[in-house]
Amino acid sequence: NAGVTQTPKFRVLKTGQSMTLLCAQDMNHEYMYWYRQDPGMGLRLIHYSVGEGTTAKGEVPDGYNVSRLKKQNFLLGLESAAPSQTSVYFCASSYSLGTDTQYFGPGTRLTVL
Amino acid sequence: QQQVKQSPQSLIVQKGGISIINCAYENTAFDYFPWYQQFPGKGPALLIAIRPDVSEKKEGRFTISFNKSAKQFSLHIMDSQPGDSATYFCAARARSNDYKLSFGAGTTVTVRA
């Protein structure tokens, strides 16, 4: 049982490049989330999904897109990376929105030059 | 604008001492208040949580105190150990906000041996 996994762990992009971050969970959770973590800002929700094929905007969705084609996977895309998107990105999952616990992955550190 | 304000930003405590982290909120619709613990290079993990119908919850050396009238809650770490050195995030959730978690900015706790 790996829990929540994220790939890649580190990535450096140039401004304007695109990339996709992959999140996978093996807990059969319905709900998945993408957060970004910046110093002094805590964790801010980018997008989330309440089930396969559905996504919704979080607190800071601009510049990001997501897809949930399979229940176990949640992809975060950056179409044209900007230096302001330099951050640590965390994926999380939970059994339901009302369930107490969100399980987090180990994070992806992204630097945009 | 963060819905949950957390302080202090960092604190240093001697081994065996008490660490206290405070959080305040305005949204009276919040109905669940978890604390997450994050070690360097790892994702956050649920530490302890409380609902507003109780004033205190204790799990081992960790205690949440909740003051509904003041809209404040705090985490106390008793007999702090070097292994408690981590960043702690308070959070809050409201059903009216699709149960999404709003996180505080985080407190980095360093326990000196």
Side-chain angles (χ1 to χ4, degrees):
Chain A
N1 189 341
V4 179
T5 58
Q6 293 182 233
T7 53
K9 287 185 169 51
F10 303 93
R11 186 72 187 267
V12 178
L13 289 179
K14 294 181 179 179
T15 297
Q17 288 185 319
S18 63
M19 77 162 295
T20 300
L21 282 66
L22 173 63
C23 175
Q25 53 93 6
D26 61 2
M27 296 174 283
N28 201 35
H29 286 168
E30 287 291 336
Y31 298 84
M32 298 186 75
Y33 317 82
W34 276 107
Y35 293 90
R36 61 177 289 172
Q37 183 178 21
D38 303 290
M41 302 291 288
L43 291 139
R44 292 182 292 169
L45 184 65
I46 304 171
H47 286 280
Y48 64 104
S49 169
V50 301
E52 183 178 319
T54 69
T55 62
K57 294 180 180 179
E59 183 184 353
V60 288
D62 294 343
Y64 305 95
N65 57 78
V66 288
S67 64
R68 182 99 181 268
L69 299 180
K70 293 182 179 181
K71 185 176 182 178
Q72 64 268 33
N73 295 336
F74 195 27
L75 278 63
L76 177 71
L78 287 73
E79 289 186 349
S80 180
S84 61
Q85 294 178 303
T86 294
S87 186
V88 181
Y89 291 86
F90 288 99
C91 176
S93 71
S94 65
Y95 182 70
S96 73
L97 278 176
T99 297
D100 297 352
T101 306
Q102 289 187 16
Y103 295 87
F104 284 80
T108 295
R109 182 173 294 277
L110 174 66
T111 301
V112 183
L113 302 176
Chain B
Q1 183 178 358
Q2 286 190 303
Q3 295 192 55
V4 181
K5 298 189 188 305
Q6 183 172 348
S7 63
Q9 187 174 12
S10 63
L11 67 90
I12 300 173
V13 63
Q14 292 296 120
K15 180 181 176 181
I18 302 174
S19 304
I20 301 175
I21 306 169
N22 300 301
C23 288
Y25 64 96
E26 289 297 326
N27 186 353
T28 55
F30 285 145
D31 62 359
Y32 171 67
F33 302 86
W35 286 86
Y36 279 77
Q37 179 188 53
Q38 183 182 29
F39 292 107
K42 305 293 185 182
L46 180 66
L47 179 65
I48 186 173
I50 196 168
R51 299 186 188 275
D53 52 345
V54 298
S55 60
E56 185 175 283
K57 183 174 181 180
K58 183 176 181 179
E59 290 185 2
R61 296 182 293 104
F62 299 90
T63 299
I64 300 178
S65 297
F66 186 81
N67 186 329
K68 189 173 182 178
S69 61
K71 291 182 283 188
Q72 295 175 348
F73 59 110
S74 60
L75 177 70
H76 292 64
I77 306 174
M78 314 301 286
D79 186 27
S80 297
Q81 300 297 310
D84 297 331
S85 296
T87 300
Y88 294 82
F89 294 95
C90 61
R93 180 197 79 182
R95 179 179 179 180
S96 59
N97 193 27
D98 274 349
Y99 296 109
K100 297 193 294 290
L101 287 175
S102 297
F103 285 88
T107 298
T108 300
V109 174
T110 302
V111 182
R112 295 264 168 85

